[in-house]
Amino acid sequence: MSRNEKTAPYEPTAIGSEQSSIYNSIIAQTSEKVKWLSDENKIDEPMFCECFCAHRELWYLSGQFCSIDGTVDGEQIRAEISRTLTENGIKSGVTNKTNALFEILKLHCHAEPIIPRLDEIHVRNGVIKVDGRMGEPPTFIPQKRFCVNHLNIDYDPQIWRHQYYPGKFMDFLCGLLDFEDIQTLQEYLGYCLIPTTKAQKALFIIGSGGEGKSRIGVVLNEIFGSSMLSGDFQRVENDKFFRYNLRNKLIMNDDDMQLTALKSTGIIKNIITA
């Protein structure tokens, strides 16, 4: 095969398995020219979108791209479109063509907003049904489903067959909080696992600086991943544009809350108790 022959892009080996769904090959062909590009380097835009989504499910809803693994950053989509164009011989006007295809892809992948199931916790390897009784294992479905707020963890159904104790993390919490406060933290985080505010709860951890409170936020970020928003809590009340970032999030964390008083807390109360 000559170097100048147009072929479909390949998936770079340097990308990890967790990102493979984002960077999947657009077309599986290796010996045939791509379907969406003519001999005159003219792009068939609808065909490009079909090929782009041929080996993965991709939706555009509520202003963002989503896949079976959760939300997909729009800049990653742009970067993949740009690489695809340059790898297939398009060297001029790449920025304009990328932006145009990105907008067309939004229309191609557009979907109506989905109503989240309040009895399901979505993890990387399946779905946990919120149907277990106290001390009994819940139903686990080892198949991923489309959802906009996945947790960034795997669930081990066998965990109920043997005793599990997160010793290192519990030792940290015992050095930071009283026993009753640890139970409160566990209860609150349980509320955050499902996409609802029916519990009508917000949690404030108050203490001196340097005690390690912000480390809890670091752990939560690893668990919730893209379903967690980190930012200034007061901006929820004062910045209507910042509030938009709360969509499809399970939890918001402010690890250094300002002490200045808010003039009003009506919007914050409405969000918490909605």
Side-chain angles (χ1 to χ4, degrees):
M1 180 184 299
S2 65
R3 178 175 298 180
N4 295 327
E5 187 173 353
K6 301 182 183 71
T7 61
Y10 60 90
E11 182 177 348
T13 57
I15 295 175
S17 59
E18 295 181 0
Q19 298 177 328
S20 61
S21 60
I22 298 176
Y23 294 98
N24 281 340
S25 301
I26 292 182
I27 304 176
Q29 299 169 335
T30 57
S31 58
E32 301 178 5
K33 68 177 183 180
V34 293
K35 298 178 181 179
W36 50 267
L37 191 61
S38 69
D39 293 334
E40 294 79 22
N41 274 0
K42 293 183 178 181
I43 300 173
D44 185 333
E45 295 169 346
M47 179 60 68
F48 178 91
C49 293
E50 290 184 13
C51 295
F52 194 92
C53 302
H55 297 281
R56 60 180 162 192
E57 293 182 284
L58 195 64
W59 297 267
Y60 184 77
L61 45 82
S62 300
Q64 59 186 169
F65 283 100
C66 301
S67 71
I68 195 67
D69 295 310
T71 58
V72 181
D73 183 36
E75 292 306 309
Q76 293 178 340
I77 298 290
R78 290 180 189 272
E80 186 174 349
I81 293 174
S82 177
R83 282 197 306 271
T84 302
L85 296 179
T86 55
E87 288 174 359
N88 286 279
I90 298 177
K91 305 300 182 182
S92 62
V94 176
T95 300
N96 291 335
K97 291 182 175 66
T98 297
N99 292 334
L101 289 170
F102 182 77
E103 295 301 321
I104 295 171
L105 189 64
K106 289 182 181 179
L107 300 176
H108 180 82
C109 299
H110 179 268
E112 294 297 324
I114 62 173
I115 300 176
R117 296 283 300 270
L118 304 185
D119 63 341
E120 294 181 349
I121 301 173
H122 293 257
V123 293
R124 290 188 304 197
N125 60 335
V127 179
I128 305 170
K129 300 289 290 186
V130 186
D131 58 0
R133 297 181 179 180
M134 182 67 69
E136 296 181 2
T139 302
F140 177 66
I141 305 172
Q143 180 180 4
K144 290 191 291 186
R145 295 177 180 174
F146 176 67
C147 180
V148 293
N149 41 39
H150 286 80
L151 298 181
N152 189 39
I153 57 173
D154 293 320
Y155 175 71
D156 180 10
Q158 301 301 320
I159 198 172
W160 293 87
R161 296 182 179 274
H162 53 81
Q163 184 178 5
Y164 173 73
Y165 182 80
K168 188 174 183 179
F169 185 61
M170 288 302 297
D171 289 344
F172 162 72
L173 289 181
C174 290
L176 178 65
L177 304 171
D178 295 331
F179 177 73
E180 293 79 7
D181 294 334
I182 294 176
Q183 290 182 314
T184 300
L185 176 64
Q186 291 173 328
E187 178 183 350
Y188 175 76
L189 295 181
Y191 297 146
C192 296
L193 296 177
I194 54 177
T196 180
T197 57
K198 287 185 176 181
Q200 300 186 357
K201 302 293 183 182
L203 179 67
F204 297 87
I205 302 178
I206 302 172
S208 302
E211 292 180 335
K213 300 184 297 299
S214 61
R215 296 296 91 190
I216 296 178
V218 174
V219 175
L220 295 183
N221 187 58
E222 289 296 318
I223 295 174
F224 286 88
S226 62
S227 295
M228 172 176 163
L229 174 65
S230 297
D232 185 349
F233 181 68
Q234 294 196 1
R235 291 184 64 188
V236 176
E237 184 71 33
N238 299 325
D239 188 343
K240 63 181 180 180
F241 299 105
F242 181 78
R243 289 196 292 272
Y244 184 72
N245 296 321
L246 291 171
R247 74 195 192 284
N248 299 328
K249 303 299 181 183
L250 293 173
I251 183 174
M252 177 186 172
N253 175 57
D254 182 354
D255 64 358
D256 191 16
M257 187 173 175
Q258 299 180 24
L259 298 179
T260 55
L262 288 168
K263 295 181 180 179
S264 172
T265 59
I267 294 176
I268 291 176
K269 290 179 179 177
N270 288 337
I271 292 176
I272 295 174
T273 61

